[in-house]
């Protein structure tokens, strides 16, 4: 039985037969507003708070200040954990937008995949990190329009995550529910895929998730409704 990493998302570990397999990379894909950022942050935040596992969160789209503010509504105090060396946020968003940053971990001269890899390595080593989230790798596509280059970047990042022996999440945005990933390679690189949905049902949007694959383990094949509550994501028990 492989060692499991608890996700920190209520109701999810049961669906996965105990959590993510330690050391694997999980792709979380979904359309806009489906909860990808909250999901990946909850994994890192709860890892630090509940399981004493330091974590690194790489933000490629939102600036760290926005992120800290957004998740504070769930009672998650990132700054406190950052000050105690339990969480590091890597700002890969500001430089891409051409905005200066004072973050301790950041890209400072535009966007470069090798610089990003170096910064992830540095943060992971500084903290002794066991969890890493990258949100979202779709942002790699804004900079490069060459699909080959994007794929190379994704391969580099995934090799780095394996080298660091962390359990990790990459998020990716998909445009329609029939897609699994943005660039068509992420789902093959990742050992697991979870898809988040927001679908209209009887004049109401409902959230649900499906575990599309999890190499090396059995898992639920059902569609699981979930909610974003004042404490974050909670997967509802299936009736
Ligand atoms: N306190 C809250 N209670 C309930 N729902 C919330 C709360 N805060 C945010 N949400 C929901 O979460 C959504 C945003 O989640 P999140 O940012 O994780 O999505 P995302 O998939 O990362 O979206 P994006 O495409 O913008 O990156 C909001 O659109 C809103 O529906
Ligand atoms: Mg997001």
């Amino acid at each position: 039985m492989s060692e499991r990493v608890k996700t920190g998302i209520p109701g999810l570990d049961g669906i996965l037969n105990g959590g993510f397999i330690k050391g694997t990379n999980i792709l979380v894909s979904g359309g806009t507003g489906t909860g990808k950022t909250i999901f990946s942050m909850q994994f890192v935040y709860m890892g630090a708070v509940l399981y004493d596992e330091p974590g690194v969160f790489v933000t490629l789209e939102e600036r760290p200040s926005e992120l800290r503010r957004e998740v504070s509504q769930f009672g998650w105090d990132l700054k406190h954990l950052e000050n105690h060396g339990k969480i590091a946020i890597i700002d890969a968003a500001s430089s891409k937008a051409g905005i200066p940053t004072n973050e301790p971990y950041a890209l400072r001269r535009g966007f470069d995949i090798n610089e990003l890899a170096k910064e992830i390595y540095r943060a992971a080593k500084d903290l002794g990190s066991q969890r890493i989230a990258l949100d979202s790798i779709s942002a790699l596509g804004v900079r490069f329009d060459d699909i080959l280059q994007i794929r190379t970047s994704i391969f580099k990042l995934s090799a780095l995550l394996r080298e660091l022996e962390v359990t990790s999440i990459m998020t990716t945005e998909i445009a329609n529910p029939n897609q699994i990933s943005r660039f068509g390679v992420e789902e093959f690189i990742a050992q697991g895929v979870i898809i988040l949905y927001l679908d209209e049902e009887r004049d109401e949007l409902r959230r649900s998730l499906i575990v599309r694959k999890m190499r090396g383990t059995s898992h639920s094949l059902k569609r699981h409704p979930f909610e974003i509550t004042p404490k974050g994501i909670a997967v509802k028990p299936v009736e």
Side-chain angles (χ1 to χ4, degrees), residues 94-105:
S94 298
S95 73
K96 192 137 40 79
I99 304 167
T101 176
N102 290 321
E103 294 292 329
Y105 298 100

Side-chain angles (χ1 to χ4, degrees), residues 82-99:
E82 291 176 69
N83 292 341
H84 286 79
K86 294 291 181 191
I87 283 187
I89 311 283
I90 299 183
D91 182 2
S94 298
S95 73
K96 192 137 40 79
I99 304 167

Side-chain angles (χ1 to χ4, degrees), residues 2-4 16 22 25 28 40 51 56 62 85 103 110 116 120 123 125 130 137 143 168 171 182-183 193 200 209 213:
S2 31
E3 201 181 330
R4 298 293 172 141
L16 299 169
K22 194 174 165 68
N25 174 240
V28 174
S40 50
Y51 308 113
V56 172
E62 293 176 71
E103 294 292 329
L116 179 60
I120 294 173
K125 290 296 171 192
Q130 295 174 55
I137 58 168
R143 179 75 175 82
S168 59
T171 68
R182 170 84 160 248
F183 306 117
V193 176
E200 193 170 334
L209 63 82
K213 83 163 176 187

Side-chain angles (χ1 to χ4, degrees), residues 26-30 36-37 39-40 61 133-139 169-173 186:
I26 310 299
L27 181 74
V28 174
S29 56
K36 301 180 299 296
T37 299
F39 187 110
S40 50
E61 280 172 347
L134 288 100
D135 179 56
S136 97
I137 58 168
S138 314
I169 289 179
M170 284 185 181
T171 68
T172 192
E173 190 171 324
E186 305 95 302

Side-chain angles (χ1 to χ4, degrees), residues 178-197:
N178 302 322
Q179 244 180 329
I180 294 181
S181 70
R182 170 84 160 248
F183 306 117
V185 284
E186 305 95 302
E187 70 266 43
F188 302 111
I189 292 170
Q191 285 93 351
V193 176
I194 296 176
I195 309 182
L196 308 183
Y197 296 92

